[in-house]
Amino acid sequence: MRIITSLEEIEAPFLKAVVTVGNFDGVHLGHQALMQKVKERARAIDGTSVVFTFEPHPVKVLKGKHLPLITPFPRKMELIAQQGIEIAVCPPFTKEFAQIGAKEFICEILMKKIGMKEMVVGYDFAFGKKREGNIDSLKTWGEKLGFKVHVVGPICINGVIVSSTKVREFIMAGEMERVKELLGRYYQVTGKVIRGKNRGGRLLGIPTANLKLINEVFPKNGVYAVEVIYEDKTYHGVANIGFNPTFGDNALSVETHILDFNQNIYGETIRVIFVKRLRDEKKFDNLEALKAQIQKDIEVARKILTPNLQSLQSPYNL
């Protein structure tokens, strides 16, 4: 997939571009449905599949809010590429860009610059300055300007309409099975292994990888059965997200004990995939009680993770 980060990079319109536009945070099943429709239409007219998205998220620019992201930009591009999209256009979202009117966006950017012949949108799509453009106006402009509009309805799973907001809610509630239902894969965080306080290995005999995180949405504090991907290999693990109350810490940390693993990975990047929340974080009276509980967590995690290993190694779930 070609990634374009500036409209100036586009020297000529793409051949019969079929375009979808959105933030696509999480690239959940609703987003995937849009992208599959884009691919289907591009094949039908021998055209080019294009995703138009934004970086940073418009909410950060327009409202000054820190919106916790499900997928940082590199991960989002990776997931869009996995959908088989040919072109991702990701211009910087600025306050100036936000002033572009809906019709100008359609005519000057999507049609003239990108070469759009067809557009695929979600049922709740709105766009342009102050979100003035909607599906009705889009269809009207399509008839006048000569492009087709395809509307994809909501994706509903177990009574829940799939949305980035709902995915964030489930992640922060620690409901990882519900997250998987909406994403079509387990939720993961990516980070660089940094030096912690060396208490896991030194005091407990249970070494942990401490992460400097890239992702912005953290699962609810507690202990999780996880899979860890390092150098394209998948390992079982147990992760703790929290403040280490037994040691009186006050800084949030993510520490992962990788089972049956004995390598020095300081400075390396790993992925931690959250499969199931095991329990709340709690304070123990002494190190022996903590160590005994961690051993119990490890045994529970082994039982949970063994049937998951094969599915987690498939490209779809990564």
Side-chain angles (χ1 to χ4, degrees):
M1 182 178 76
R2 180 184 172 190
I3 300 173
I4 296 171
T5 57
S6 169
L7 293 177
E8 283 67 43
E9 289 180 48
I10 304 173
E11 297 177 351
F14 301 109
L15 178 65
K16 299 178 185 176
V18 181
V19 184
T20 188
V21 178
N23 295 310
F24 304 120
D25 185 28
V27 193
H28 55 58
L29 290 179
H31 298 147
Q32 292 174 38
L34 289 172
M35 294 176 198
Q36 292 308 307
K37 183 69 174 180
V38 166
K39 282 174 50 185
E40 173 191 313
R41 291 306 309 157
R43 283 195 301 267
I45 64 172
D46 291 322
T48 308
S49 57
V50 180
V51 165
F52 193 108
T53 187
F54 307 101
E55 176 65 19
H57 196 290
V59 168
K60 290 187 176 182
V61 175
L62 298 178
K63 299 185 178 181
K65 288 184 178 180
H66 175 76
L67 179 72
L69 293 178
I70 303 163
T71 44
F73 183 73
R75 176 63 174 156
K76 182 165 76 170
M77 291 300 100
E78 184 180 297
L79 290 167
I80 291 173
Q82 286 179 11
Q83 293 302 308
I85 296 296
E86 295 169 87
I87 306 290
V89 181
C90 323
F93 190 87
T94 62
K95 289 185 177 179
E96 291 73 26
F97 192 94
Q99 294 304 307
I100 298 174
K103 190 172 183 180
E104 182 185 355
F105 178 67
I106 291 291
C107 294
E108 297 301 318
I109 296 179
L110 295 187
M111 296 191 72
K112 188 181 292 185
K113 195 77 177 175
I114 293 176
M116 182 180 74
K117 297 299 181 187
E118 299 192 14
M119 191 172 184
V120 177
V121 298
Y123 67 100
D124 56 352
F125 183 70
F127 66 106
K129 182 181 178 181
K130 297 181 180 178
R131 297 174 67 82
E132 64 189 5
N134 55 36
I135 290 174
D136 288 338
S137 58
L138 195 59
K139 287 180 176 178
T140 299
W141 290 327
E143 290 174 2
K144 290 180 178 178
L145 300 172
F147 64 89
K148 291 183 179 180
V149 177
H150 306 275
V151 181
V152 176
I155 304 297
C156 191
I157 298 176
N158 292 330
V160 174
I161 294 177
V162 179
S163 70
S164 298
T165 298
K166 224 30 175 172
V167 172
R168 285 188 204 100
E169 288 178 7
F170 285 149
I171 291 171
M172 291 188 286
E175 297 183 42
M176 309 321 293
E177 295 95 336
R178 301 298 304 276
V179 173
K180 181 176 185 285
E181 289 177 351
L182 305 194
L183 290 181
R185 63 185 184 276
Y186 289 101
Y187 180 66
Q188 67 173 244
V189 298
T190 300
K192 191 167 284 189
V193 179
I194 59 175
R195 291 194 178 274
K197 299 186 178 179
N198 196 29
R199 290 187 297 224
R202 179 170 53 86
L203 298 179
L204 300 171
I206 305 172
T208 58
N210 299 269
L211 287 192
K212 180 179 181 181
L213 292 174
I214 298 171
N215 291 61
E216 296 187 279
V217 179
F218 303 131
K220 182 179 179 180
N221 289 3
V223 177
Y224 292 80
V226 301
E227 295 286 349
V228 178
I229 298 178
Y230 172 62
E231 292 189 338
D232 296 325
K233 291 185 179 180
T234 306
Y235 302 88
H236 294 165
V238 175
N240 182 84
I241 299 180
F243 297 91
N244 291 309
T246 302
F247 295 100
D249 290 354
N250 56 13
L252 181 70
S253 67
V254 178
E255 302 179 29
T256 304
H257 173 62
I258 307 173
L259 308 187
D260 309 313
F261 184 85
N262 187 26
Q263 297 183 45
N264 184 341
I265 55 174
Y266 286 125
E268 300 290 334
T269 297
I270 64 173
R271 294 183 177 186
V272 179
I273 301 170
F274 292 86
V275 177
K276 186 175 180 63
R277 190 171 188 271
L278 302 182
R279 62 175 176 86
D280 289 335
E281 186 180 46
K282 64 180 182 178
K283 184 175 182 178
F284 292 88
D285 294 333
N286 53 61
L287 293 182
E288 287 305 313
L290 173 59
K291 184 175 180 179
Q293 180 60 60
I294 293 174
Q295 292 296 342
K296 290 179 183 177
D297 295 336
I298 289 171
E299 292 311 309
V300 172
R302 284 189 192 278
K303 292 176 182 176
I304 291 170
L305 295 169
T306 300
N308 280 301
L309 184 58
Q310 185 175 358
S311 65
L312 282 163
Q313 288 176 321
S314 70
Y316 181 71
N317 284 299
L318 298 182

